[in-house]
């Protein structure tokens, strides 16, 4: 199943296991929706997902909820998976067999809809609600999810955007090499009061990564705070590889480095195995990935990701003024923003 290891683990990893009956129910719902509607793009399919998710009760709803601890992550052993039916790991996300993945994608969207509002980005993976993450040839040393040879730096998912996910799901289809996802909770770091104060001020912007195309037409980047407070504790918005923090004053740069060092100190490694679903609080933790050597032979690591908005979790009101560099959100059943 799933394992975790960390030299500096702050708290035990939260693990939940679905019983066989709940796993079968989830699988049957995905299979039934796939047979009835044939595509996630079908509006009737999207509506059915929302209706089913709203009426699911019992163990499945109890296990599929946001992380309960300040660790900001839980792993649910949730999905009955037949790797062979999904075929080999595609060489790039655009080559995924949507028909073969449909039942699994629908299961992911059911789980996501039990937590909040699933969404995709119009400017990423053609607006798909379920994104596919695998190594791609030519991107081995680029700071995006399709990389492999380099350390994928710890970051907030889509940190540049005010409508970034509150929670996101990562499900594992294949991970033969036991490639670890790295996780660090801001609530485990040890920062001085002065460092916290500096990082709570809007000082530098966060820019989109290369998957979002040309962004110059959307005007100058505005500074944002790296740290912010939620009713239940400290949160962060962090992506050092796309933050021009070196342009800030020496005091801010020093505080930013100390935050990075602390996130590294408290990092844990989580190895997802087929059928595991990680539920990650995108406001509390940063995630990354250790380096590995991609083979590009159909056996490489393959994850699926779903972004989730939770309207009842407010963020700083200053984010409402951000333009998000023109990137638009496509919700499962609501009008896009």
């Amino acid at each position: 199943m799933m394992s975790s290891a960390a030299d500096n683990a702050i708290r035990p990893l939260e693990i939940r296991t679905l019983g066989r009956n709940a796993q079968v129910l989830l699988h049957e719902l995905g299979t039934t929706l796939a047979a009835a509607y044939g595509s996630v793009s079908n509006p009737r399919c999207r509506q059915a997902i929302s209706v089913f998710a709203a009426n699911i009760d019992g163990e499945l709803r109890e296990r599929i909820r946001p992380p309960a601890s300040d660790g900001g992550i839980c792993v649910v052993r949730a999905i009955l998976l037949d790797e062979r039916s999904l075929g080999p790991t595609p060489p790039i996300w655009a080559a995924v067999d949507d028909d073969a993945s449909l039942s699994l994608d629908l299961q992911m969207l059911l789980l996501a809809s039990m937590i909040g509002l699933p969404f995709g980005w119009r400017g990423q993976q053609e607006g798909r609600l379920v994104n596919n993450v695998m190594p791609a040839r030519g991107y081995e040393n680029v700071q995006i999810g399709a990389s492999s040879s380099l350390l994928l730096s710890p970051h907030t998912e889509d940190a540049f955007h005010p409508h970034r996910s509150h929670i996101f799901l990562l499900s594992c289809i294949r991970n033969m090499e036991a490639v670890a996802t790295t996780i660090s909770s801001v609530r485990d770091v040890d920062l001085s009061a002065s460092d916290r104060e500096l990082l709570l001020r809007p000082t530098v912007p966060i820019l989109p990564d290369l998957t979002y195309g040309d962004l110059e037409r959307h005007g100058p980047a505005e500074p944002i705070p790296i740290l912010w407070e939620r009713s239940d504790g400290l949160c962060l918005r962090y992506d050092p590889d796309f933050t021009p923090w070196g342009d800030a004053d020496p005091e801010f740069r020093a505080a930013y480095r100390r935050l990075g060092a602390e996130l590294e100190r408290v990092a844990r490694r989580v190895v997802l195995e087929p059928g595991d679903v990680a539920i990650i609080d995108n406001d509390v933790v940063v995630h990354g990935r250790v380096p590995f050597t991609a083979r590009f032979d159909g056996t490489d690591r393959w994850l699926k990701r779903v972004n989730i908005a939770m309207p009842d979790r407010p963020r700083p009101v200053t984010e409402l003024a951000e333009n998000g560099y023109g990137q638009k959100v496509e919700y499962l059943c609501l009008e896009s923003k």
Side-chain angles (χ1 to χ4, degrees):
M1 294 295 290
M2 186 280 314
S3 62
S4 70
D7 294 334
N8 298 299
I10 301 301
R11 64 185 84 247
L13 183 66
E14 186 180 351
I15 300 174
R16 307 171 189 163
T17 301
L18 282 184
R20 178 72 180 185
N21 289 342
Q23 289 181 322
V24 169
L25 171 61
L26 179 62
H27 183 271
E28 289 181 347
L29 287 173
T31 301
T32 298
L33 288 168
Y37 299 109
S39 172
V40 175
S41 63
N42 185 329
R44 293 175 60 199
C45 181
R46 294 185 174 203
Q47 185 61 39
I49 292 168
S50 295
V51 171
F52 274 126
N55 287 280
I56 290 173
D57 207 349
E59 180 190 358
L60 188 52
R61 181 164 296 280
E62 170 64 20
R63 296 288 188 269
I64 305 302
R65 65 186 190 281
S69 76
D70 283 343
I73 178 176
C74 66
V75 175
V76 187
R77 295 166 173 166
I79 293 177
L80 297 175
L81 194 67
D82 180 2
E83 291 184 57
R84 292 172 298 179
S85 68
L86 293 166
T89 302
I92 192 171
W93 67 264
V96 170
D97 184 336
D98 290 334
D99 291 336
S101 281
L102 181 57
S103 175
L104 176 57
D105 289 352
L106 291 168
Q107 291 178 67
M108 290 285 293
L109 290 172
L110 282 164
L111 296 178
S113 296
M114 293 169 63
I115 296 172
L117 304 175
F119 71 89
W121 298 99
R122 287 186 180 178
Q124 187 181 67
Q125 295 200 11
E126 298 178 347
R128 297 183 187 208
L129 292 167
V130 182
N131 292 161
N132 290 275
V133 181
M134 70 280 288
R137 198 179 297 277
Y139 293 91
E140 292 91 338
N141 292 293
V142 181
Q143 277 291 336
I144 58 175
S147 66
S148 51
S149 299
L150 84 173
L151 174 73
L152 183 62
S153 299
H155 62 282
T156 301
E157 189 72 10
D158 300 313
F160 71 95
H161 205 286
H163 297 308
R164 64 198 178 278
S165 59
H166 292 86
I167 299 286
F168 67 94
L169 306 183
L170 282 180
S171 68
C172 179
I173 295 174
R174 182 170 292 121
N175 193 9
M176 296 175 63
E177 298 297 315
V179 178
T181 299
T182 62
I183 294 289
S184 302
S185 171
V186 70
R187 296 179 184 179
D188 289 335
V189 303
D190 184 10
L191 290 176
S192 68
S194 59
D195 280 352
R196 286 171 63 112
E197 182 180 354
L198 281 167
L199 296 170
L200 283 163
R201 300 174 187 169
T203 304
V204 290
I206 298 179
L207 307 174
D209 68 35
L210 303 178
T211 64
Y212 290 94
D214 179 17
L215 301 161
E216 292 182 359
R217 65 184 183 278
H218 298 294
E222 298 295 331
I224 62 165
I226 304 303
L227 300 180
W228 56 280
E229 296 280 358
R230 199 167 72 188
S231 60
D232 61 333
L234 190 66
C235 295
L236 82 169
R237 190 174 173 185
Y238 181 80
D239 195 346
D241 289 294
F242 294 92
T243 299
W245 57 276
D247 297 339
D249 60 57
E251 290 78 14
F252 180 89
R253 295 200 304 269
Y256 197 90
R257 288 192 190 97
R258 284 190 285 270
L259 172 61
E262 277 295 295
L263 290 169
E264 182 177 357
R265 181 183 68 82
V266 303
R268 69 179 74 196
R269 295 184 177 190
V270 178
V271 177
L272 298 175
E273 296 191 5
D276 287 345
V277 178
I279 306 176
I280 299 174
D281 188 328
N282 197 39
D283 290 336
V284 172
V285 303
V286 291
H287 69 288
R289 191 216 58 245
V290 302
F292 67 101
T293 301
R295 293 185 294 268
F296 304 113
D297 63 354
T299 66
D300 283 321
R301 178 179 182 259
W302 180 6
L303 305 180
K304 287 181 177 282
R305 181 182 63 234
V306 179
N307 296 306
I308 306 170
M310 299 184 71
D312 61 339
R313 287 195 175 185
R315 286 176 169 145
V317 294
T318 53
E319 294 192 9
L320 298 176
E322 297 178 27
N323 65 28
Y325 303 92
Q327 300 306 303
K328 301 298 182 182
V329 172
E330 185 79 28
Y331 289 102
L332 176 73
C333 285
L334 296 180
E335 292 183 1
S336 57
K337 291 190 175 182

